Amino acid sequence: IAACSLAGAVAIGVGAAAAWGWWLLAFVAVGAVLVPAYNLELAFHTDWGFAAAWGAFPALTGYFVEAQSLRLEALAAAGYAFAASLAQRSLSTPVRKARRGHASTDGTAPLEQALRFSTAAAVLLAVALVAARLR
């Protein structure tokens, strides 16, 4: 199932590259390597790898699809996504360990609350950026 899903995503990426520009294939290729490498724990399966693969890379890809280039604001957005992913990972790891290893998650409530607030902050930032773009 996973291989079929990845093949479908690559096919969509190739179709998008045909429609919007062949440079997009570079992102499709990197994504096609990142997904199995991370999920099979072959590479990138660290906090920094997580932040790069699931934070910065999607931000860069999304920006490139829309702008057909990578400019300073793309790098800033990728940096934000990288840092936000690292923050999420550092907060969620102790909570996940508490859930798996104990019958109770006592003591993790502040971490879970921080995760909720960081999610809300990211959504509000995205809304603000879209609103600024529409102006």
Side-chain angles (χ1 to χ4, degrees):
I1 294 173
C4 289
S5 297
L6 184 57
V10 169
I12 291 169
V14 170
W20 292 305
W22 295 110
W23 281 106
L24 186 56
L25 288 179
F27 291 93
V28 173
V30 170
V33 170
L34 281 177
V35 169
Y38 185 85
N39 289 339
L40 296 173
E41 298 183 12
L42 301 174
F44 312 108
H45 211 270
T46 64
D47 290 348
W48 288 69
F50 173 83
W54 308 121
F57 178 69
L60 284 176
T61 303
Y63 186 96
F64 185 81
V65 166
E66 291 298 319
Q68 296 295 303
S69 68
L70 293 176
R71 295 189 298 261
L72 179 60
E73 60 266 25
L75 299 178
Y80 168 80
F82 185 88
S85 296
L86 278 178
Q88 180 272 334
R89 186 75 166 217
S90 67
L91 291 168
S92 67
T93 298
V95 173
R96 190 172 54 253
K97 285 180 181 177
R99 286 184 183 138
R100 290 180 182 164
H102 307 290
S104 169
T105 58
D106 291 342
T108 63
L111 298 177
E112 292 190 58
Q113 186 177 27
L115 282 167
R116 286 188 188 100
F117 285 140
S118 66
T119 299
V123 170
L124 291 170
L125 175 62
V127 169
L129 291 171
V130 169
R133 178 90 170 140
L134 294 175
R135 219 167 39 125

